[in-house]
Every structure is written in C-alpha cells, then in structure tokens.
Amino acid sequence: MFALHPTLSADTLVVGDFPLSRCLLMNNARYVWLILVPRINDLREVHELSEADQQQLLRESSWVSQQLATTFKADKMNVANLGNVVAQLHWHIIVRHKNDADWPAPIWGRQPSIAYSHDEAEQRLNQLRQVLSNNDKTPLTCPKA
Amino acid sequence: MFALHPTLSADTLVVGDFPLSRCLLMNNARYVWLILVPRINDLREVHELSEADQQQLLRESSWVSQQLATTFKADKMNVANLGNVVAQLHWHIIVRHKNDADWPAPIWGRQPSIAYSHDEAEQRLNQLRQVLSNNDKTPLTCPKA
C-alpha cells in the first residue's frame, strides 16, 4: 500500500489522484504550490520510474503546469524534483510572479509558510479540482467530501 | 536558427547535442551541474513543447540523471526548470552530496561560482562525453576538437 512521507502529509492538503500521482497542495497561502507524488513506494529519483511512468508523470506535470499558468497568470512556472530533505520522490509545480516575496530566487527554505484558513483551503481546493479536471489523459479523482 | 541566451552561453561549456537538447556544463567546479536546452527558439515552459518533445526531453534528462548519479555517487539528484532569471527553457540536472556546501538547500544563488581551469574543464568534458554516450535513444553528438 502506498505510503506518503509524514512530512509531506503534514505540510499539504490532498487535491486528488491522477492516474500515477497523488496531487497535493502545499499548505502555504504565499504561493500556489502543488506537488505530485507518484503512488509507488521507495522511489527517490524520476529516472527510477519505468519509461511509461516517467512519461505519465510529465503528462500530469505539464497538464497541471499549463492549467496553473493560465489560471493564476504566472510570470513563470517553477518545476522541480529536489528531495534533499524528504527523499520520497515528489515533484514541485509552483506559480511564480515577478512581485512575489522571493522573486527571482527559488522559494524553498526562505519565507515561513502561512497556513490557509479552513475557508481559504476549501475555496482553493475546490478551485484547483475544477481547473485540473476534464483531461481524459490525466483524469483527477478527488476525495469524497 | 537556434540561439542560446547569452547568459547561458557565457556561464557554460558545451558537452554536446542530444536529439532535442543542447547539453551544457555549468562552468562551476563546485558542482557537477548540467543543463539541457531544447534547440527550439522562444520556449519558456516545458508544457509549451509538443508531447513528443516533452517525452524526449525527459528521456534525455533521465539518461543524464541516471548516468551522473552512478558516476558521481550522488546522494540525490536535483532536476528543475526554474527560469526566473533567464527565461529561455533550460533544465537543470545537478549532482548533490550530503557534504556539499549548500546541502540540503537548493544551490541557486548561493555560493559564488568557481570556474574550471582549462585542464579541469577539458578533463570534465571528456569524462562527461564518455559517460553520456552509447545510448541509442539519446545519442550525443559532440563538437569537433
């Protein structure tokens, strides 16, 4: 059974599941910051996935990236697998704006997080589920309310 | 004709060309830090590539990542498209070690670069060309000496 690393679990809210990856929202209202985690245990690097799964990960990543870029009028998308702190393979997709607090630096390890309020979280998750649905190649299954 | 951004050109040495991407070595002896730049003008985001080119980019990325991880005994690979400073689509592949100067932080914008000497650069480029050759799916064409 797939196990999400406890740190990833504590820091995020679940948007839903794509065919390969769990889609998570970082609980940080400073940024629209999503994370894809392939639901396969003991993975650390993208190149450890099968070629078919690598392609599916990129398909899911590009769908998310494109939808977020349009919806949130990104100046740039930041897409990355780092994993120096939490090694479980997780793929960051972050909306960047030229007036954000860290621009043009990468955002990791800089500003302290600002947790969403209950209402903000619900609103953001609903918005993301709507924006990320309706793609036959990467259908999104959302948790039941 | 494909044009590399002048900053990328100034900061790197050419390893060679994969079918899609130019493979560059950052001229920074602190890290084994490669960059893939798809040879298509006016690109900023991975999701702007055709699906076939996205898959080829990931094929090239995973080949490089896997070969570098093994050759340089990486503790973790860092793979990222940021582009907040230079927008031209470029894909970082960086070997990280637990005893490197920035671990576990991302390396961008932290320590000043240390340029390779002429001999170090030649040696590193030769090593990389050897390590990154011999893959039928991502053949590497190197500049003539």
Side-chain angles (χ1 to χ4, degrees):
Chain A
M1 185 160 158
F2 171 64
L4 190 62
H5 189 286
T7 302
L8 287 174
S9 183
D11 291 350
T12 65
L13 305 162
V14 177
V15 179
D17 278 355
F18 287 119
L20 177 65
S21 311
R22 182 146 301 163
C23 180
L24 303 167
L25 171 67
M26 274 291 273
N27 189 7
N28 181 355
R30 285 187 192 276
Y31 292 100
V32 179
W33 179 350
L34 271 63
I35 295 180
L36 296 179
V37 184
R39 294 189 306 282
I40 297 172
N41 287 324
D42 301 322
L43 273 181
R44 299 172 73 252
E45 304 286 358
V46 175
H47 67 248
E48 293 168 0
L49 287 165
S50 71
E51 186 166 346
D53 282 346
Q54 289 185 37
Q55 292 180 1
Q56 181 60 26
L57 175 61
L58 197 60
R59 203 172 284 126
E60 295 174 2
S61 169
S62 286
W63 166 245
V64 171
S65 174
Q66 176 191 314
Q67 293 297 94
L68 297 187
T70 306
T71 306
F72 298 99
K73 299 181 176 30
D75 289 314
K76 189 71 188 67
M77 297 303 299
N78 286 181
V79 177
N81 164 233
L82 304 177
N84 306 335
V85 178
V86 173
Q88 180 175 42
L89 177 58
H90 61 288
W91 183 270
H92 300 272
I93 304 171
I94 306 157
V95 176
R96 301 300 305 273
H97 292 110
K98 288 180 180 173
N99 63 354
D100 70 36
D102 295 305
W103 183 269
I107 67 174
W108 298 276
R110 295 178 70 95
Q111 313 290 330
S113 290
I114 301 172
Y116 288 104
S117 71
H118 179 275
D119 286 358
E120 285 170 340
E122 198 165 355
Q123 198 175 354
R124 178 52 48 89
L125 287 170
N126 285 338
Q127 178 188 28
L128 290 168
R129 286 168 185 157
Q130 189 159 30
V131 160
L132 298 177
S133 296
N134 303 318
N135 183 331
D136 289 347
K137 288 187 182 169
T138 62
L140 181 69
T141 310
C142 298
K144 284 178 185 146
Chain B
M1 184 160 157
F2 170 64
L4 190 63
H5 189 286
T7 302
L8 287 174
S9 183
D11 290 351
T12 65
L13 304 162
V14 177
V15 179
D17 278 355
F18 286 118
L20 177 65
S21 311
R22 182 147 300 162
C23 180
L24 303 167
L25 171 67
M26 275 292 272
N27 189 6
N28 182 355
R30 285 186 191 276
Y31 291 100
V32 179
W33 179 349
L34 270 65
I35 295 180
L36 297 179
V37 184
R39 294 189 305 283
I40 297 171
N41 288 323
D42 302 321
L43 273 180
R44 299 171 75 252
E45 304 286 359
V46 174
H47 67 248
E48 294 168 359
L49 287 165
S50 71
E51 186 166 346
D53 281 347
Q54 289 185 36
Q55 292 179 2
Q56 181 60 26
L57 175 61
L58 197 60
R59 203 172 284 127
E60 296 174 2
S61 169
S62 286
W63 166 245
V64 171
S65 175
Q66 176 191 314
Q67 293 297 95
L68 296 187
T70 306
T71 306
F72 298 100
K73 300 181 176 26
D75 289 313
K76 189 71 189 66
M77 297 302 300
N78 286 181
V79 176
N81 165 233
L82 303 177
N84 305 336
V85 178
V86 173
Q88 180 175 41
L89 177 58
H90 60 287
W91 183 271
H92 300 273
I93 304 172
I94 306 157
V95 176
R96 300 300 306 274
H97 292 109
K98 289 181 179 173
N99 63 354
D100 70 37
D102 296 305
W103 183 269
I107 67 174
W108 298 276
R110 295 178 69 96
Q111 313 290 330
S113 289
I114 301 172
Y116 289 104
S117 70
H118 180 275
D119 286 359
E120 285 170 341
E122 199 165 355
Q123 199 176 353
R124 178 52 48 89
L125 286 171
N126 285 338
Q127 178 188 27
L128 290 168
R129 285 169 185 155
Q130 190 160 27
V131 161
L132 299 177
S133 295
N134 303 318
N135 182 332
D136 288 347
K137 287 187 183 168
T138 62
L140 181 69
T141 309
C142 298
K144 285 178 184 144

